[in-house]
Amino acid sequence: MTQPTQTPITAPRDVAAVKMTDIKKSYGGVHALKGVSLTIRPGTIHALIGENGAGKSTLLKILQGVVIPTEGSIEVFGEHLTAVSPENSRRLGIGMIFQDLSLIPTLTIAQNIFLNREPRRMSLLVDERREVEDAAKVIGELNLNVDPRTRVLALSPGQAQLTEIAKAISQKARVLILDEPTSALSAQEVDILFKMLRKLTADGTAIVYVSHRMTEIMTIADEITILRDGQNVTSGNIADFTLDTIVQNMVGKRVTGFEYKPHEIDRGTQPALKVRSLSGKHGKPNDVSFDLYRGEVLGIAGLMGAGRTELARVLFGVDAKADGTVELDGKVLEFRSPAEAIEAGIVLVPESRHDQGLVIEHTVGHNLSLPQLAQLASGPFLDRRRERDLSAELISRLRIKTPDADNKVRNLSGGNQQKIVIAKWLATDPSVVILDEPTAGVDIGSKAEIVELIRSIASGGKSVIVISSEPAELLATSDRILVLSNGRLAREISRSEIDAWATTEGDESQSSMIRVELGLQVAIQKASQNVH
Amino acid sequence: MATSSKPWYGNWRDHVVYIGFVAIFIVFAILLHDRGFLSPNNLLNVLRQTAIIAIMAMAMSFVLSAGEIDLSVGAIAGLTSVVAGMVLMQYGLVPGIVAGLCLGLVVGAINGALTAYLNIPSFLVTLGMMGIARGVGMWVSGTSPVPVIDDTFIYAFGSGNIGPIPILVIWVVVLGTIAHLAIRKTPFGRKVMAAGGNPIAALYSGVNVRRVKFQVLMITGVAAAIAGMLYAGRLQSGRFQLGEGDELSVIAAVVLGGTSLFGGRGTVVGSVVGALLIGIINNGLILGGLEYSQQLIARGMLIILAVAIGRGR
């Protein structure tokens, strides 16, 4: 790929920048890493690829020093890392750019960049002038043309992301880890970032690049390592890979999928939900139109930042729409709050059950009755018996594992907590149920149950929208899949197309379920490429 | 996964205020026996002194449970005593009472609207309102007390007895019952807890969180107005200084009673007992012959101790 330029060398090039050998890590009895090796050469961009749960983030946390491996050795520029700790990793020049921003919103750009290593004046006072000047230099290189004295909370997501990157760069890291750095960036900002990364590698910096956007990886990476189920699958020069081979290696032959059960949907009738040219206030969603029929499950796929959650928020009345119409059973809906959406018959199982779905310090029963309080009242009082009956019925119908309705939600497992969020809505007898990442952080057994539950909600005559990052889950539940990219509807995939993948994708040695999953992964990647 | 078989009484820390009340009562009963702590007169006196704080504490339970705070209750009480007293003198009993209640409603609505609809933290809104209400009370009264001479008013608001029972105690029992039912047994109470426990989840569940926050601040406004009229009836005059510092006693009583300062959990009965606990501590320290400075120190330490024991909730 690129020829290293003859700039002054700031890092030795003859040894590997990072050499992690046979790293193992287990949590209790669970083996997150089963002997992973990773070698990153100075002056290269190394893509680290794998599905959720493949072990990428554990491996990177070990490199950062936050997680201590059970076994294995780590060398950074030939220096053996004896004790794994954040201080040691930092001392050896490992810098990380976090996916969830690690900036302090109330401080300025300059204050954030130099946090805990402020330039001093008379060794006591912060030299604010130099701080601002130095910060201006760093963000200028990233073409971030904002006053460094601006508070981070006033920045756009893209600008905040660039600030985060500037912070890591200014620490003169010899190894830079970027985890999904472009999810909040515009196409233009991505270009600037890539130019910057090229400049850094020319100086000998090694970069670990994690992303689900394969097209980006094909553009920027020099080398690639693919992980699956806590093991190395393959490593090599990016030029030897194609989009299809990368996805193939990621997915492998594992069987975690759930079978899709075909069923009849009457698309001749009027659609239950009719969405036309729907746009949100910040460009996501952007001009999205679709129909949803009674008894149908519509899957929404897309990469991080595609605007899937934003679509759900607009449909549920959390965010106001900027344009477009939503019709439910032929009635045009105009609402500005979730309360009005619920009243109309649209409910949302939000992506974060802790922050948005549950009051975890309250009991199972109180959480279940929360959307139904008005209906459960008799006179001025809450009818406690009806409330108890309701929760007892929901607990047994959804097989929620709890000693009783008076148990605090906090004490339940993720799967059972998620069932409570779903159950509280079923009681309101909605027309449209939207589920955003319904099986995130849920064990495999509950996952199967939730997939089954989604199917049964639809066959009960309701319309369902499932937003998910897991292709297997979308394939098991959806009668149709929409792919969003950058807020727009990039592609609609029918069930017959999906069925065709079982013979056209992958090869004969793979099960049809895996071949279909390959087809979806490739379709999402290609659709995202067109619009970004 | 699922938990713990818990004993019938639940977690003892949830009942610290009741345990503390009984313990301190027994200690004072023994130590201060010869100083008349247990005499009916002294005990009724404690009830009288505590009643007004208890009434504001009931309302404050709603506000804290909803994740807000109201620092203006004491000042509203002072202002109401003045305004109700003046209207009473000019236009008679009913207009006086109506004016007092309306004043509480209006001030509460302003607090609520600024907090809920303009997103100004209630701490700041009510801190500002505390000054405004106190200032207006001072201004309209010309800093002098307003005499209250209507016998019915004096009887009903504070000074009367029904049989041996002070009418103030009746007020506490009646309002306390209503507030307890409202917080524990109605959909509204549940919404208050949800709004304070996790406002986003409450919003996503269809609860109108803004309206709940507006309503709880109305409740403290009205309760403070009633407290102001009780002050006026008991002292037979309206004064702008009345209720000064009450906001802190009220918040201490509520938190002592087991309501979370951060929202999501609250009780009315606990708040009333919390107020009583502070009342007997004050009374015991006075009977014990402590100087005012010593009383302040001892009371402060006892409150910190009680809250520390009940911590981890």
Side-chain angles (χ1 to χ4, degrees):
Chain A
M1 295 239 62
T2 44
Q3 200 61 36
T5 48
Q6 292 305 312
T7 43
I9 293 169
T10 54
R13 300 205 177 201
D14 43 348
V15 285
V18 174
K19 193 171 160 80
M20 299 177 85
T21 315
D22 209 19
I23 304 287
K24 291 183 185 163
K25 175 68 193 174
S26 43
Y27 295 98
V30 185
H31 302 286
L33 295 177
K34 305 167 191 164
V36 172
S37 298
L38 178 68
T39 305
I40 297 163
R41 296 188 300 114
T44 63
I45 299 178
H46 197 111
L48 183 62
I49 305 298
E51 296 197 289
N52 296 333
K56 286 173 311 201
S57 49
T58 310
L59 191 67
L60 294 180
K61 279 182 189 156
I62 290 171
L63 187 56
Q64 272 173 274
V66 205
V67 167
I68 296 166
T70 323
E71 264 181 67
S73 79
I74 304 167
E75 281 175 41
V76 180
F77 287 103
E79 199 174 328
H80 206 78
L81 194 61
T82 40
V84 176
S85 74
E87 294 75 38
N88 280 340
S89 292
R90 235 175 106 170
R91 190 175 52 78
L92 290 174
I94 292 168
M96 172 97 186
I97 293 166
F98 293 91
Q99 187 177 329
D100 313 315
L101 297 176
S102 66
L103 301 175
I104 296 162
T106 49
L107 298 185
T108 67
I109 294 178
Q111 288 166 343
N112 266 290
I113 290 177
F114 294 104
L115 188 62
N116 210 20
R117 50 191 187 91
E118 293 84 359
R120 301 286 178 93
R121 204 153 46 93
M122 296 183 297
S123 77
L124 254 183
L125 305 171
V126 175
D127 186 345
E128 287 185 38
R129 230 182 50 207
R130 227 183 84 206
E131 190 178 65
V132 171
E133 279 168 11
D134 290 355
K137 226 179 292 165
V138 188
I139 63 173
E141 282 183 63
L142 284 165
N143 279 24
L144 178 58
N145 298 315
V146 183
D147 188 328
R149 285 165 295 193
T150 313
R151 287 180 199 277
V152 165
L153 51 83
L155 300 178
S156 74
Q159 291 172 328
Q161 182 72 270
L162 288 174
T163 304
E164 178 91 32
I165 292 164
K167 182 178 170 184
I169 289 172
S170 75
Q171 291 172 3
K172 307 257 181 292
R174 297 187 294 174
V175 178
L176 200 55
I177 304 168
L178 290 96
D179 189 359
E180 295 280 357
T182 59
S183 57
L185 300 187
S186 70
Q188 212 181 351
E189 288 168 326
V190 171
D191 282 344
I192 295 165
L193 172 66
F194 283 3
K195 283 204 191 95
M196 189 72 213
L197 295 183
R198 275 287 154 235
K199 215 157 134 194
L200 288 171
T201 53
D203 293 341
T205 309
I207 293 173
V208 186
Y209 194 94
V210 177
S211 176
H212 283 102
R213 295 167 192 245
M214 300 305 156
T215 47
E216 262 177 38
I217 283 166
M218 309 291 281
T219 317
I220 190 71
D222 303 313
E223 292 176 356
I224 184 169
T225 291
I226 301 177
L227 301 184
R228 191 200 314 140
D229 300 329
Q231 284 170 308
N232 288 78
V233 182
T234 178
S235 294
N237 198 313
I238 195 82
D240 301 332
F241 287 80
T242 63
L243 176 56
D244 292 70
T245 53
I246 294 175
V247 174
Q248 283 249 21
N249 280 302
M250 260 169 68
V251 174
K253 298 186 196 301
R254 122 213 84 96
V255 188
T256 56
F258 314 103
E259 198 92 45
Y260 169 76
K261 294 184 193 117
H263 69 142
E264 284 299 308
I265 299 150
D266 185 5
R267 292 212 175 85
T269 58
Q270 195 190 28
L273 187 72
K274 213 162 134 183
V275 176
R276 290 293 175 271
S277 311
L278 189 64
S279 296
K281 287 257 161 75
H282 303 290
K284 287 174 189 176
N286 185 351
D287 195 17
V288 170
S289 302
F290 63 87
D291 287 334
L292 175 62
Y293 293 88
R294 206 164 295 288
E296 185 179 40
V297 180
L298 182 66
I300 308 267
L303 302 176
M304 199 188 287
R308 293 167 297 172
T309 296
E310 289 83 349
L311 174 64
R313 288 168 63 95
V314 172
L315 287 175
F316 189 54
V318 179
D319 293 337
K321 64 176 189 197
D323 204 5
T325 56
V326 178
E327 269 180 48
L328 183 65
D329 293 321
K331 263 205 325 243
V332 178
L333 300 181
E334 289 290 343
F335 40 64
R336 290 142 300 162
S337 75
E340 288 167 337
I342 294 162
E343 181 66 26
I346 299 179
V347 300
L348 171 70
V349 175
E351 66 177 331
S352 165
R353 52 178 174 272
H354 268 215
D355 297 337
Q356 304 161 333
L358 296 165
V359 187
I360 57 162
E361 291 296 333
H362 288 183
T363 66
V364 173
H366 285 196
N367 272 283
L368 286 172
S369 62
L370 189 55
Q372 287 275 80
L373 292 173
Q375 287 78 3
L376 289 170
S378 68
F381 297 115
L382 205 57
D383 188 332
R384 300 292 269 271
R385 175 178 301 174
R386 271 172 53 210
E387 187 189 19
R388 264 198 303 275
D389 291 348
L390 174 80
S391 35
E393 193 231 308
L394 291 170
I395 287 169
S396 78
R397 190 163 123 210
L398 274 77
R399 291 193 293 272
I400 298 168
K401 290 198 194 72
T402 173
D404 54 45
D406 297 330
N407 197 5
K408 281 190 182 172
V409 166
R410 188 184 46 180
N411 298 330
L412 303 190
S413 70
N416 283 298
Q417 290 182 348
Q418 188 68 309
K419 284 193 206 166
I420 291 170
V421 185
I422 299 173
K424 77 174 186 191
W425 290 131
L426 293 188
T428 68
D429 194 26
S431 312
V432 178
V433 180
I434 306 170
L435 301 102
D436 194 354
E437 301 290 355
T439 66
V442 157
D443 63 280
I444 186 80
S446 302
K447 227 172 226 189
E449 275 187 274
I450 288 170
V451 165
E452 187 57 37
L453 187 60
I454 292 170
R455 298 289 341 171
S456 74
I457 294 170
S459 49
K462 303 189 191 312
S463 306
V464 181
I465 295 176
V466 176
I467 296 169
S468 177
S469 304
E470 295 199 29
E473 184 175 302
L474 287 174
L475 289 164
T477 53
S478 310
D479 303 308
R480 215 160 25 112
I481 296 173
L482 304 180
V483 184
L484 292 189
S485 173
N486 208 14
R488 289 177 177 278
L489 183 56
R491 182 161 178 204
E492 178 173 340
I493 302 167
S494 70
R495 200 69 219 184
S496 54
E497 282 176 82
I498 294 171
D499 293 337
W501 289 333
T503 50
T504 58
E505 294 292 323
D507 58 56
E508 305 267 310
S509 71
Q510 292 165 312
S511 73
S512 62
M513 217 184 277
I514 296 288
R515 297 175 79 175
V516 166
E517 202 180 316
L518 281 174
L520 181 58
Q521 296 248 23
V522 171
I524 294 170
Q525 292 293 343
K526 286 186 175 157
S528 306
Q529 181 175 6
N530 294 338
V531 188
H532 190 67
Chain B
M1 266 257 17
T3 55
S4 79
S5 56
K6 45 188 177 216
W8 61 269
Y9 53 82
N11 186 340
W12 67 271
R13 284 180 188 276
D14 290 343
H15 308 293
V16 156
V17 70
Y18 308 106
I19 299 167
F21 180 82
V22 172
I24 289 179
F25 191 90
I26 292 172
V27 169
F28 283 170
I30 295 166
L31 293 181
L32 303 172
H33 181 68
D34 53 341
R35 310 221 180 169
F37 176 77
L38 282 178
S39 77
N41 248 342
N42 184 53
L43 293 179
L44 284 178
N45 211 13
V46 171
L47 286 178
R48 267 194 213 100
Q49 284 162 353
T50 318
I52 295 177
I53 295 290
I55 286 167
M56 288 190 274
M58 295 164 192
M60 191 69 81
S61 310
F62 287 85
V63 175
L64 292 188
S65 297
E68 300 294 337
I69 199 162
D70 188 345
L71 298 174
S72 63
V73 285
I76 296 175
L79 174 62
T80 309
S81 75
V82 168
V83 170
M86 291 170 78
V87 177
L88 188 71
M89 198 154 56
Q90 205 81 25
Y91 302 101
L93 178 67
V94 176
I97 296 170
V98 170
L101 290 176
C102 285
L103 180 68
L105 276 171
V106 169
V107 179
I110 295 170
N111 281 341
L114 293 174
T115 301
Y117 298 104
L118 291 184
N119 296 323
I120 309 173
S122 52
F123 185 91
L124 298 175
V125 168
T126 59
L127 186 65
M129 188 56 79
M130 177 163 89
I132 294 169
R134 194 70 72 198
V136 172
M138 217 166 147
W139 173 48
V140 298
S141 67
T143 71
S144 52
V146 180
V148 171
I149 44 176
D150 186 304
D151 285 338
T152 320
F153 186 90
I154 291 169
Y155 178 84
F157 286 90
S159 297
N161 291 300
I162 294 180
I165 302 167
I167 209 139
L168 276 168
V169 174
I170 311 276
W171 275 99
V172 171
V173 171
V174 171
L175 293 179
T177 307
I178 295 170
H180 173 73
L181 291 175
I183 210 166
R184 287 293 294 275
K185 309 270 182 188
T186 64
F188 172 69
R190 209 52 87 59
K191 287 181 196 171
V192 168
M193 297 301 162
N198 185 347
I200 298 174
L203 177 75
Y204 275 56
S205 299
V207 174
N208 190 335
V209 176
R210 288 179 193 276
R211 191 164 65 201
V212 169
K213 302 209 156 171
F214 179 78
Q215 287 165 330
V216 293
L217 285 162
M218 293 273 282
I219 293 175
T220 38
V222 172
I226 293 173
M229 290 192 278
L230 293 172
Y231 270 129
R234 194 166 143 240
L235 304 174
Q236 304 186 5
S237 68
R239 297 175 209 184
F240 75 90
Q241 305 98 318
L242 290 175
E244 207 151 26
D246 277 4
E247 54 281 346
L248 298 182
S249 309
V250 167
I251 291 165
V254 174
V255 174
L256 213 52
T259 296
S260 165
L261 196 49
F262 309 105
R265 201 187 51 243
T267 142
V268 165
V269 179
S271 299
V272 173
V273 177
L276 280 174
L277 177 56
I278 293 178
I280 60 164
I281 290 174
N282 285 342
N283 180 257
L285 296 176
I286 293 167
L287 290 184
L290 269 67
E291 286 175 25
Y292 185 60
S293 57
Q294 294 167 321
Q295 287 172 33
L296 286 177
I297 295 167
R299 188 174 61 182
M301 293 196 312
L302 280 170
I303 290 174
I304 292 174
L305 183 71
V307 174
I309 293 171
R311 195 168 37 98
R313 297 179 298 200

